[in-house]
Amino acid sequence: MNYLNENIDSLNKKLQDGEITAEDLAKETVKNIKETDKKINAWITVDEEAKPAENLDFNKNKLAGIPIAIKDNIITNGMKTTAASHILYNYMPVYDATVISKLKKAQATFVGKTNMDEFAMGSSTEHSYYGETHNPWNLDKVPGGSSGGSAAAVASGEVVVALGSDTGGSIRQPAAFNGIFGIKPTYGRVSRWGLIAFGSSLDQIGVMSKRVKDSAEVLNVIAGPDEHDATVSEKEVPDYTSFLGQDVKGLRVAVPKEYMDAVDGEMREVIQKQIDVLKDAGAIINEVSLPHTKYVVPTYYIVASSEASSNLQRYDGIRYGYRAKDTKNLLDVYVKSRSEGFGDEVKRRIMLGSFALSAGAYDEFFKKAAQVRTLICRDFEKIFEENDVIVGPTTTEPAFGIGEEISDPIKMYNNDILTISANLAGIPAASVPAGLVDGMPAGLQIMAKRFDEGNVFKVADFIERNNKFYEKTPTGMED
């Protein structure tokens, strides 16, 4: 079964009416993945024996029997989890991440793990031990990253919904590049227990889907408190679907000058058109400034790399994962296993982070970055005193060609300039399809104050109902 014209509601109705069984749905999904993914490479592991839960309750659980894709940095009991790295090529977890446990309780069906940039470090899904993923709209283009496999799996119709993770834009940027919806919730809204850590103060699990409502349905399930994660909020989780179908009259919408100045030509026209749609519907549009935007990239890469250098110390070739051969002593095991197990981009960030945390550089780099991060947070707090949401482009350009930027780390890092701030500030942010630029999708980014995912969904759903981008078929899948 191909999901290009399906959603959770349509599948749930077919299951309730007996048009298809959950067992057949799982089999058809795996069959379609094996056929479609030959040209996409969106998956690292496909469970060819995927089976739905027993005693499915389609009325109680909207996700019952619905096949879901999981990014390969989210721990799944008994299913290989590699983070797209050689160093974890054979890692078989013995427990489930909290989000997986919650989805199992909701009786979702797991069909496999999706490709990604190694340890979520990248913006193109080219930094994977298992090969690059291709964009369903143009197979010569990148799908974005690091959740490129999840985005491509949804956009190509292999699944209707997928989990991703977002440390600096890793859900929103690939969502924009693939013409789908993707949301990064507030930091602390969804448990990180079982998410392979990259930047612990930045990482957040989120959802990707063609339809806004599908992500709302899944976030309803995975959000909320968790005794395993002390950073998760105890705040009550609202029904995110209740924010759908509303108008935006009177909604105060901020448009950062710095974000609009970062795009021009057809990209600017596409984004401005969506802002005009909001204005015509009665939203109050205010031009604002995020003055510290020019500092977000260096701030992020110091903070994230420093946290990564600490988090990745655990991969040493001793307890699990890849261990180098022909070693002479314990130090040799450490050095060779990490040198051979990690890819170039991961090693680059470990070295950057280790330097930033070193005795001679800590005050000049990490401490300074933490101070600038505080200023960035204050920029957002000030805007949200008088505005409900912030909107603007998700990316500065549509998807670029495979191989075009991989040899230029600085250019690749700058691709995240419009998405990083939301992670530094810990606020919810999403990308919803805005239109096409040079035949490739472009996304409108929507941000709101902490724990106000409701307004993000409200605006995204309004945009979706107006442009119906979900009706478009990726051009790379048409043949």
Side-chain angles (χ1 to χ4, degrees), residues 81-116:
T81 302
T82 72
S85 179
H86 186 200
I87 210 161
L88 286 177
Y89 77 104
N90 62 352
Y91 178 55
M92 190 69 72
V94 293
Y95 71 100
D96 280 323
T98 296
V99 291
I100 301 300
S101 298
K102 289 185 174 185
L103 288 171
K104 282 185 175 179
K105 189 175 180 181
Q107 300 184 316
T109 300
F110 302 101
V111 289
K113 311 297 285 292
T114 53
N115 203 4
M116 55 183 283

Side-chain angles (χ1 to χ4, degrees), residues 91 133 164 183 185 194 234 262 267 296 307 316 384 419 433 442 471:
Y91 178 55
T133 297
I183 182 166
E234 297 288 330
M267 175 69 84
V296 299
E307 294 182 1
D316 53 14
F384 287 128
T419 54
E471 294 179 348

Side-chain angles (χ1 to χ4, degrees), residues 264-428:
D264 54 25
E266 193 177 356
M267 175 69 84
R268 188 181 179 103
E269 291 175 13
V270 165
I271 300 302
Q272 187 61 53
K273 181 179 179 181
Q274 302 309 312
I275 294 171
D276 291 342
V277 166
L278 294 172
K279 183 178 181 180
D280 292 344
I284 302 166
I285 309 298
N286 300 310
E287 184 181 273
V288 298
S289 177
L290 287 168
H292 293 94
T293 298
K294 59 185 176 181
Y295 301 117
V296 299
V297 173
T299 299
Y300 169 81
Y301 278 96
I302 290 172
V303 173
S305 297
S306 297
E307 294 182 1
S309 70
S310 176
N311 281 322
L312 270 60
Q313 287 181 23
R314 69 195 69 178
Y315 306 108
D316 53 14
I318 301 298
R319 288 160 290 183
Y320 46 76
Y322 176 76
R323 178 182 292 188
K325 298 177 181 178
D326 301 322
T327 53
K328 298 176 182 178
N329 51 49
L330 186 59
L331 180 60
D332 217 22
V333 172
Y334 292 156
V335 173
K336 283 193 173 183
S337 295
R338 289 169 66 83
S339 296
E340 296 171 10
F342 289 135
D344 290 343
E345 182 59 29
V346 173
K347 286 187 279 193
R348 181 183 293 119
R349 299 202 194 189
I350 289 173
M351 289 188 286
L352 174 61
S354 297
F355 173 75
L357 291 174
S358 64
Y362 181 88
D363 286 345
E364 186 177 355
F365 292 100
F366 186 80
K367 184 178 179 180
K368 185 68 69 176
Q371 291 170 333
V372 176
R373 182 180 188 176
T374 299
L375 296 177
I376 292 167
C377 291
R378 289 175 181 169
D379 285 348
F380 281 99
E381 290 169 1
K382 184 177 180 180
I383 288 175
F384 287 128
E385 287 176 0
E386 299 179 355
N387 295 276
D388 300 306
V389 295
I390 298 171
V391 303
T394 307
T395 62
T396 58
E397 60 181 1
F400 48 88
I402 292 174
E404 277 185 15
E405 299 185 8
I406 194 169
S407 60
D408 187 347
I410 301 301
K411 189 173 183 181
M412 190 76 82
Y413 294 170
N414 280 321
N415 285 324
D416 301 330
I417 190 169
L418 302 180
T419 54
I420 284 171
S421 294
N423 297 84
L424 291 171
I427 60 175

